Amino acid sequence: MARTKKMYGIAIALLVASIPGIGKIPWAAHWGFDLQNIHEFYHCGDRAIANPYVIAGACGDVVGRPMPYPPLLFYSFYWLKWVSLETAVWLWDAFVLVALTGAAATWLGRRRFFRKDALVFWALLLLQLPVVFTLERGNNDVGAVWLWTLGWLAFERRRAGTSGFFAGLAAAFKVYPATAAAALGGGVLLSARGRARQTLAWSAGALGALAVFAFLLFPEQGREYWLHMLPAYSKQGAGIWPYSHSLSRTFDGPFWLPALAIRLGLLGAWTFAAARRLHDDAALTFAGTLAISTYFAGISYDYHLGTTYPLPLLLFKRERWGLLLLGLFAVCGNRYLFGAFPLPVLYPLLQILWLV
């Protein structure tokens, strides 16, 4: 008990000390910068709503961005058609906070979540750079987090097809969960002995949801997005900054071979973990595979690190203090400690160390 109190105190102190790191956020010209992109496409004519991928950024976006999101995500924001940008930002940020809190309560368990120590821990996690950055940009990763959470809950209830469906739906919604689905799917296939029906159901659910919601439901938009927009957009990069963590853009160029080895090692580690632990510890494998997913995208700013939050929540619940403290420092650590080169390069490697 004394050790638990001591380690909990260290975790809380670390989170408090990390709060000033939000000053390293590259503040945009206005709050809700990414939400503004979607909002403008709903307010510049029926053609933009019918197929936003043929407009090429001509819809009033403040920096001329095209529509970078898949059709399923874009059309899930149809409500933006009826509200002003200012109202949309307020509504969306409130929804993000409520949805993230609901997801946290789900991963921790409602009884555990409403204990005082957990509420303080969660309140401080909300004050860290990943969440504040999410609110500042109007980021939409919370949808992928919840779809992946529903996939985990379905797997816990032995509904493999439904679990795979939510995994495929998450990939259709936001693209990068495809990496999580690949790691988890690899684990499902490698652990298939005696579970052929479950393996087939999960795979069919995942591939079916991806096919329907990425292509069949939106045939014209899906063709434009997946075959033209996404390949062009993925060539862009986040660069080397203390607020980004893309492996492909931080370490590519002359370091493409070690970068490839790191990515394959990270994917392989969690595929192996899923194969070994999926049926005994679905929560850990679902949380871990989601946590690695955004490291493979070309643009991975640290507002995407909210996808790692289920993992420290599980470590907190299980009192795995050493791993928890490393994870908190890696994900939420004060970014002023990592501002000078080469520290922005080493910082993602610290996160990789923790995840492996």
Side-chain angles (χ1 to χ4, degrees):
M1 181 64 71
R3 180 179 181 275
T4 296
K5 289 184 177 180
K6 178 181 178 181
M7 299 304 288
Y8 174 76
I10 294 174
I12 295 302
L14 176 59
L15 289 174
V16 170
S18 299
I19 292 174
I22 64 175
K24 275 292 184 180
I25 291 174
W27 307 99
H30 60 81
W31 200 269
F33 184 72
D34 288 347
L35 187 65
Q36 187 264 347
N37 175 255
I38 307 176
H39 185 271
E40 289 301 323
F41 275 84
Y42 277 104
H43 289 265
C44 72
D46 293 338
R47 183 168 177 260
I49 297 176
N51 190 344
Y53 309 107
V54 298
I55 303 299
C59 278
D61 181 89
V62 290
V63 290
R65 292 170 294 181
M67 174 47 56
Y69 303 116
L72 179 60
L73 189 156
F74 175 75
Y75 288 112
S76 71
F77 278 86
Y78 200 84
W79 58 275
L80 290 177
K81 183 178 179 180
W82 298 294
V83 297
S84 68
L85 178 61
E86 182 180 16
T87 300
V89 170
W90 279 103
L91 290 174
W92 182 246
D93 280 358
F95 173 79
V96 167
L97 289 173
V98 171
L100 285 176
T101 300
T106 302
W107 285 96
L108 270 180
R110 281 175 291 181
R111 291 182 62 183
R112 183 67 183 89
F113 180 77
F114 285 105
R115 283 170 46 175
K116 182 179 178 180
D117 62 335
L119 288 173
V120 172
F121 180 73
W122 177 245
L124 288 173
L125 277 176
L126 289 179
L127 295 174
Q128 303 305 312
L129 182 141
V131 174
V132 177
F133 203 176
T134 288
L135 298 176
E136 186 264 344
R137 291 301 164 102
N139 176 253
N140 43 53
D141 286 340
V142 67
V145 171
W146 255 110
L147 289 171
W148 201 253
T149 299
L150 292 172
W152 160 59
L153 290 175
F155 197 89
E156 292 278 19
R157 289 161 174 75
R158 301 184 184 280
R159 297 176 180 174
T162 304
S163 175
F165 172 83
F166 281 120
L169 195 61
F173 180 81
K174 193 64 178 172
V175 182
Y176 66 75
T179 302
L184 194 64
V188 168
L189 294 174
L190 292 173
S191 62
R193 176 179 290 184
R195 300 186 178 94
R197 182 178 297 178
Q198 186 182 49
T199 301
L200 180 62
W202 195 92
S203 303
L207 294 175
L210 186 59
V212 170
F213 289 94
F215 293 100
L216 299 181
L217 192 61
F218 312 101
E220 182 182 351
Q221 298 89 338
R223 183 175 62 253
E224 289 290 337
Y225 178 77
W226 297 100
L227 299 182
H228 302 290
M229 177 62 70
L230 182 61
Y233 186 72
S234 63
K235 293 178 182 179
Q236 302 179 36
I240 302 175
W241 310 101
Y243 48 79
S244 66
H245 59 273
S246 170
L247 289 177
S248 61
R249 291 301 178 262
T250 302
F251 299 102
D252 272 358
F255 304 106
W256 70 270
L257 188 57
L260 179 63
I262 292 170
R263 291 199 292 273
L264 291 177
L266 183 59
L267 183 64
W270 276 97
T271 302
F272 177 76
R276 291 289 301 274
R277 299 293 297 280
L278 176 61
H279 300 283
D280 299 322
D281 195 347
L284 177 67
T285 48
F286 270 82
T289 49
L290 180 63
I292 70 171
S293 58
T294 64
Y295 290 82
F296 294 81
I299 297 179
S300 292
Y301 289 114
D302 283 359
Y303 47 67
H304 295 301
L305 288 179
T307 56
T308 68
Y309 270 32
L311 199 52
L313 287 168
L314 283 179
L315 296 175
F316 174 79
K317 179 181 181 179
R318 299 174 182 187
E319 297 186 359
R320 298 291 301 277
W321 296 110
L323 281 172
L324 174 62
L325 292 175
L326 177 60
L328 293 179
F329 184 69
V331 171
C332 303
N334 193 321
R335 296 307 196 272
Y336 284 100
L337 300 175
F338 302 95
F341 187 85
L343 294 179
V345 177
L346 299 178
Y347 190 48
L349 291 180
L350 178 63
Q351 296 170 16
I352 299 303
L353 172 66
W354 171 59
L355 290 169
V356 171

